[in-house]
Amino acid sequence: MTSSSDRSQAVDVQEPKTYEVRTYGCQMNVHDSERLSGLLEGAGYVRAPEGSDGDADVVVFNTCAVRENADNRLYGNLGRLAPMKTKRPGMQIAVGGCLAQKDRDTIVKKAPWVDVVFGTHNIGKLPVLLERARVQEEAQVEIAESLEAFPSTLPTRRESAYAAWVSISVGCNNTCTFCIVPALRGKEKDRRTGDILAEIEALVGEGVSEITLLGQNVNAYGSDIGDREAFSKLLRACGQIEGLERVRFTSPHPRDFTDDVIAAMAETPNVMPQLHMPLQSGSDPVLKAMRRSYRQDRYLGIIEKVRAAIPHAAITTDIIVGFPGETEEDFEQTMHVAREARFSAAFTFQYSKRPGTPAATMENQIPKEVVQARYERLVALQEEISWDENKKQVGRTLELMVAEGEGRKDGATHRLSGRAPDNRLVHFTKPDQEVRPGDVVTVEITYAAPHHLLAEGAVLDVRRTRAGDAWEKRNVAEAPKPAGVMLGLPRIGAPEPLPVATGSGCGCD
């Protein structure tokens, strides 16, 4: 006769399947990847440990198509996974995002070991496509031509317990000659304001204290209904949500940046004094060739109004160097705008051809050595300006939201890191009392570097927050189980305004 203990020992405990999502590109892709992770976890998968490097049951590539060598990078990564898949029966590989939307069947032809290809409009189908590929034992390619559901309506696995992206629109109505994004993401489509606010209130209920409103052209929100003040009204409505401490948004377009938005930023306490305003070029002829619907005077006029209304605002930008036909005089106009605008930081990109864009076939492509030399001159100027602007912060007392994973040397220096209201990164002396990501500390700035600030004195105040409680609760819940599968802790941190890059940017703003 078999005892109950014998029977329990005979039970085959099947470990959950693991997944890994690799993200390339803009904030939209970061937001989509959180949804992909949520979908997979809803289907029973668990995140592979950090550093697994493809050693997972499902590996998903969320791709970007804006760089000339995006496909080479993808196929190189897929090639490295091919032998791993051969040695690991049942492993599946999926490719989604902008490059998948653009190349469709080409991916499976070049990498026949890929199981699923899906587009930017149907990320919600990933679990179904994976199961169908497994059952039918053949690749599944499904590219929707229009949006099936807003990303924010899908399950999510947020990277941060205390900060969150909130999508307010998808797609873009602009026709910039260097950008392929509108062709891949479609025309702009706005979410209902009530749905946006309901999502924000639900996030705050979970402990989130900072949200970033997200759109390809965020301040064009309302174009669906013809309300030019819809975005400023949304910012003011965010100011009425109790418990929401910080509101940011990215990325606006100078064409649609109106005075009512500036007023809303200045008059709504939880809208942070930070603005990312893509310039792309300071030259009027180049802006015309880019099909950017503003000119230098208009751009600098916006900056002047923002500084008048919000004196301590930190303004950042995107700049493309070496656009086809750019002369030395054109480039000097970009340098002039950088000097006048006094950006706290600039994300500078060397132009590279984006297949499928009008700019890729334009005459007068600039030689690589000329682009490189101009790029280095602009970076040197901006480094000087950023340092000068950061020096103005020395002596100021600032409230920081404590972050995790943003100070690479924090362990060695016995410091912690946080973000100021204007999103500047500050490293501060670790206090004696416990401080958690999401908590708020008050410090005095003592030193400035071009890309960060230091607060070397004692912390003046520590405020424990519901956001810190949420971070602590998540980490306790996701601690490794002694006899189960290692879930792996996520990288926690507030969403950054833009990823640092040295190549051609998304350019969708």
Side-chain angles (χ1 to χ4, degrees), residues 27-81:
Q27 300 96 325
M28 279 294 188
N29 273 19
V30 174
H31 184 56
D32 286 349
S33 287
E34 291 185 335
R35 304 298 165 181
L36 291 170
S37 296
L39 286 161
L40 290 170
E41 294 192 5
Y45 295 87
V46 296
R47 175 178 278 195
E50 292 291 335
S52 58
D53 194 24
D55 187 19
D57 295 298
V58 172
V59 179
V60 183
F61 291 88
N62 190 9
T63 63
C64 173
V66 300
R67 296 188 186 177
E68 189 175 15
N69 64 347
D71 53 350
N72 294 331
R73 184 181 185 187
L74 171 65
Y75 295 124
N77 286 324
L78 290 175
R80 284 189 285 273
L81 286 186

Side-chain angles (χ1 to χ4, degrees), residues 344-402:
S344 60
F347 299 88
T348 52
F349 306 98
Q350 296 184 41
Y351 173 79
S352 63
K353 293 181 180 179
R354 296 175 170 97
T357 63
T361 58
M362 285 182 177
E363 297 180 354
N364 299 320
Q365 299 284 328
I366 310 300
K368 172 66 176 175
E369 61 273 16
V370 175
V371 177
Q372 181 68 34
R374 290 175 181 171
Y375 173 79
E376 291 174 0
R377 286 163 57 195
L378 178 60
V379 168
L381 172 63
Q382 185 55 51
E383 287 277 302
E384 179 184 331
I385 293 172
S386 295
W387 200 355
D388 285 344
E389 291 301 305
N390 275 359
K391 287 175 183 176
K392 296 177 183 178
Q393 305 299 310
V394 174
R396 292 190 65 197
T397 298
L398 300 176
E399 276 197 339
L400 312 178
M401 182 173 289
V402 181

Side-chain angles (χ1 to χ4, degrees), residues 29-310:
N29 273 19
V30 174
H31 184 56
D32 286 349
S33 287
E34 291 185 335
R35 304 298 165 181
L36 291 170
S37 296
L39 286 161
L40 290 170
E41 294 192 5
Y45 295 87
V46 296
R47 175 178 278 195
E50 292 291 335
S52 58
D53 194 24
D55 187 19
D57 295 298
V58 172
V59 179
V60 183
F61 291 88
N62 190 9
T63 63
C64 173
V66 300
R67 296 188 186 177
E68 189 175 15
N69 64 347
D71 53 350
N72 294 331
R73 184 181 185 187
L74 171 65
Y75 295 124
N77 286 324
L78 290 175
R80 284 189 285 273
L81 286 186
M84 297 179 66
K85 186 174 181 183
T86 301
K87 297 175 183 177
R88 185 169 185 153
M91 178 182 179
Q92 291 184 297
I93 300 171
V95 179
C98 290
L99 191 62
Q101 189 80 20
K102 182 171 77 75
D103 285 358
R104 303 173 183 246
D105 296 334
T106 305
I107 294 172
V108 175
K109 291 178 181 177
K110 289 188 175 182
W113 54 93
V114 169
D115 299 276
V116 171
V117 179
F118 62 100
T120 59
H121 299 311
N122 61 329
I123 64 175
K125 290 289 185 65
L126 177 59
V128 172
L129 294 172
L130 287 169
E131 181 62 15
R132 192 186 301 165
R134 185 187 66 79
V135 172
Q136 298 182 6
E137 297 184 346
E138 64 179 12
Q140 301 295 309
V141 179
E142 187 169 308
I143 306 293
E145 295 300 330
S146 59
L147 188 69
E148 293 184 350
F150 273 99
S152 292
T153 65
L154 299 172
T156 183
R157 204 287 187 194
R158 288 184 290 107
E159 289 298 305
S160 172
Y162 55 88
W165 305 103
V166 175
S167 178
I168 70 169
S169 65
V170 295
C172 182
N173 293 335
N174 295 315
T175 58
C176 301
T177 55
F178 54 79
C179 184
I180 199 170
V181 170
L184 303 179
R185 295 253 178 201
K187 291 292 185 180
E188 181 177 323
K189 185 174 179 60
D190 297 335
R191 286 180 77 190
R192 292 179 60 251
T193 302
D195 292 342
I196 296 169
L197 296 175
E199 181 184 356
I200 296 172
E201 289 173 350
L203 288 167
V204 172
E206 295 172 7
V208 168
S209 59
E210 175 177 316
I211 60 103
T212 301
L213 303 175
L214 186 62
Q216 302 289 167
N217 182 6
V218 71
N219 60 318
Y221 179 75
S223 60
D224 274 2
I225 58 175
D227 184 357
R228 288 182 56 83
E229 295 189 353
F231 185 62
S232 63
K233 293 174 183 175
L234 178 60
L235 290 178
R236 292 182 186 277
C238 287
Q240 302 300 313
I241 298 177
E242 186 176 352
L244 180 59
E245 297 194 19
R246 295 186 172 192
V247 177
R248 306 186 191 278
F249 59 88
T250 193
S251 288
H253 191 294
R255 181 196 67 186
D256 301 300
F257 206 86
T258 49
D259 291 349
D260 59 294
V261 173
I262 298 174
M265 291 176 65
E267 296 166 9
T268 309
N270 63 356
V271 175
M272 294 294 96
Q274 171 216 346
L275 175 64
H276 183 79
M277 179 71 78
L279 170 66
Q280 307 303 6
S281 175
S283 161
D284 287 355
V286 172
L287 289 171
K288 182 178 180 180
M290 289 178 168
R291 290 187 197 153
R292 303 287 285 180
S293 51
Y294 55 89
R295 298 296 179 258
Q296 182 187 120
D297 286 350
R298 159 75 172 155
Y299 186 93
L300 288 175
I302 293 171
I303 301 300
E304 183 178 357
K305 289 180 179 180
V306 171
R307 294 212 187 281
I310 316 167

